[in-house]
Amino acid sequence: MENLMVVYCSCKVIWTLLVTILGYASTLPVGDDSICTAEELAKYSIIFTGKWSQTAFPKQYPLYRPPAQWSSMLGVTHSSDYSMWKKNEYASNGVRDFAEKGEAWVLMKEIEEAGEKIQSVHGIFSAPAISSGTGQTSTELEVHSRHPLVSFVVRIVPSPDWFVGIDSLNLCEGDHWMEEVSIDLFPYDAGTDSGFTFSSPNFATIPQDTVTEITCSSPSHPANSFYYPKLKILPPIAQVTMVKLKKNQLGLPAPYLNLPAKSNEVIDSVSETPLDCEVSQWSSWGLCRGLCRKTGTKTRTRFVLLQPANNGMPCPNLDEETGCEPENCV
């Protein structure tokens, strides 16, 4: 009987210990941010650089109504319990409104509600819009040891529902914060509009598709504004850099990265994407012109759909002539 009591007591102690451990584990946040042991708070300057130039992206490059430009940046610092957007998942109503129209109210409401309900959000940050395809904008953000992840979106203007951004970048590396990180950005389709070109009219995707990365071959359609089948990968359309601020730098303007070059120093290489000429299908043959009982000629034409750029393949002949026998001769 005593042996049974010893076994019972031992099991009870082990069970209590397991319950305690499991109960503690359930209170820990899930994901990479659970192991952040760095100092509680850190501040960063975040610099967004637009690289959307006509040289890098010559196809259907928007020159007016409106010209190529970037919306304001909207971002959040958070834990792994929150997600602003994810590749291959459905965009929220807030992300849809931002990607299609640049309207931020619904997305901000979603962020605020997530912060209130599950304490997953530390702060929201924003940076001004850029009025051209190339240029910079910047702001500051604050991360917390329990909220070390950064996400943001910037809309491509004009576009159906295209954007660039980052999903849940962890700035904490164990017991310290990253000093600096730079990431090339590529376009994404929010999956809510079915347009192929920058200036496509609004045409809702029904049913809604998931967020997908736009590449030089996907969507695989010649009308796609990013369709460059000769490339292996698109050049980056933007870049983001985050630099940890020292305490004596807090409150100072974020540094501007493209400072004048010293001597022959190259700051950034310019991508030149070749664009081949595109022409329409041939028209039907015209009337045969010439004297009766002698060989005449008839012609057909085609027109340029897309002018070549950056040493792309030049346009072929737009007129073609062939021999024929005149009709209706007496």
Side-chain angles (χ1 to χ4, degrees), residues 156-304:
I156 298 173
V157 183
S159 74
D161 60 341
W162 302 340
F163 69 95
V164 297
I166 280 181
D167 165 37
S168 303
L169 174 67
N170 195 342
L171 293 178
C172 182
E173 291 184 317
D175 61 352
H176 67 280
W177 295 102
M178 298 174 68
E179 290 296 324
E180 181 174 341
V181 58
S182 289
I183 299 175
D184 288 334
L185 303 177
F186 300 89
Y188 281 90
D189 186 322
T192 61
D193 193 291
S194 297
F196 271 126
T197 67
F198 296 119
S199 57
S200 292
N202 185 37
F203 186 67
T205 302
I206 301 174
Q208 181 177 333
D209 203 351
T210 57
V211 175
T212 55
E213 184 176 352
I214 300 172
T215 71
C216 55
S217 57
S218 178
S220 183
H221 194 291
N224 175 16
S225 291
F226 287 110
Y227 186 69
Y228 297 97
K230 288 191 173 182
L231 296 182
K232 291 184 178 179
I233 187 173
L234 283 176
I237 196 170
Q239 184 183 65
V240 65
T241 299
M242 281 167 268
V243 181
K244 186 174 180 291
L245 296 175
K246 296 179 174 59
K247 291 184 179 180
N248 61 354
Q249 291 178 305
L250 299 182
L252 296 177
Y256 189 86
L257 293 187
N258 285 346
L259 297 173
K262 297 178 181 178
S263 64
N264 293 325
E265 181 184 7
V266 177
I267 293 178
D268 194 10
S269 59
V270 178
S271 299
E272 289 193 1
T273 301
L275 183 65
D276 295 341
C277 178
E278 292 182 13
V279 295
S280 68
Q281 297 293 321
W282 285 110
S283 67
S284 54
W285 288 104
L287 295 174
C288 186
R289 300 181 182 276
L291 300 175
C292 288
R293 292 180 294 278
K294 291 187 179 180
T295 301
T297 59
K298 59 182 179 180
T299 60
R300 62 179 182 175
T301 60
R302 56 187 173 184
F303 57 89
V304 175

Side-chain angles (χ1 to χ4, degrees), residues 13-295:
V13 170
I14 294 171
W15 174 251
T16 303
L17 184 61
L18 282 171
V19 169
T20 303
I21 292 172
L22 291 172
Y24 172 72
S26 67
T27 64
L28 291 174
V30 179
D32 292 340
D33 49 328
S34 62
I35 57 172
C36 181
T37 57
E39 59 181 332
E40 191 173 53
L41 294 174
K43 282 196 173 184
Y44 286 81
S45 67
I46 178 169
I47 305 101
F48 176 88
T49 304
K51 296 187 173 185
W52 186 17
S53 68
Q54 191 172 9
T55 303
F57 299 92
K59 187 173 184 180
Q60 302 163 358
Y61 187 81
L63 295 173
Y64 52 87
R65 299 182 189 177
Q69 57 192 274
W70 299 96
S71 77
S72 57
M73 172 193 290
L74 182 60
V76 60
T77 55
H78 58 96
S79 70
S80 58
D81 294 321
Y82 172 77
S83 174
M84 176 182 268
W85 66 275
K86 280 191 179 300
K87 183 179 177 181
N88 298 327
E89 294 188 7
Y90 293 104
S92 67
N93 290 336
V95 171
R96 177 200 64 203
D97 285 358
F98 192 88
E100 287 189 15
K101 299 174 284 188
E103 295 177 358
W105 300 114
V106 176
L107 182 53
M108 289 184 68
K109 189 68 176 175
E110 291 173 352
I111 296 170
E112 290 170 2
E113 288 177 354
E116 291 171 1
K117 287 180 180 178
I118 54 178
Q119 303 296 306
S120 58
V121 171
H122 180 70
I124 300 175
F125 60 90
S126 63
I130 303 174
S131 60
S132 61
T134 58
Q136 286 189 327
T137 188
S138 63
T139 188
E140 291 184 4
L141 61 88
E142 183 180 80
V143 285
H144 187 277
S145 57
R146 292 194 300 274
H147 304 85
L149 308 182
V150 176
S151 297
F152 72 82
V153 287
V154 180
R155 180 176 182 247
I156 298 173
V157 183
S159 74
D161 60 341
W162 302 340
F163 69 95
V164 297
I166 280 181
D167 165 37
S168 303
L169 174 67
N170 195 342
L171 293 178
C172 182
E173 291 184 317
D175 61 352
H176 67 280
W177 295 102
M178 298 174 68
E179 290 296 324
E180 181 174 341
V181 58
S182 289
I183 299 175
D184 288 334
L185 303 177
F186 300 89
Y188 281 90
D189 186 322
T192 61
D193 193 291
S194 297
F196 271 126
T197 67
F198 296 119
S199 57
S200 292
N202 185 37
F203 186 67
T205 302
I206 301 174
Q208 181 177 333
D209 203 351
T210 57
V211 175
T212 55
E213 184 176 352
I214 300 172
T215 71
C216 55
S217 57
S218 178
S220 183
H221 194 291
N224 175 16
S225 291
F226 287 110
Y227 186 69
Y228 297 97
K230 288 191 173 182
L231 296 182
K232 291 184 178 179
I233 187 173
L234 283 176
I237 196 170
Q239 184 183 65
V240 65
T241 299
M242 281 167 268
V243 181
K244 186 174 180 291
L245 296 175
K246 296 179 174 59
K247 291 184 179 180
N248 61 354
Q249 291 178 305
L250 299 182
L252 296 177
Y256 189 86
L257 293 187
N258 285 346
L259 297 173
K262 297 178 181 178
S263 64
N264 293 325
E265 181 184 7
V266 177
I267 293 178
D268 194 10
S269 59
V270 178
S271 299
E272 289 193 1
T273 301
L275 183 65
D276 295 341
C277 178
E278 292 182 13
V279 295
S280 68
Q281 297 293 321
W282 285 110
S283 67
S284 54
W285 288 104
L287 295 174
C288 186
R289 300 181 182 276
L291 300 175
C292 288
R293 292 180 294 278
K294 291 187 179 180
T295 301

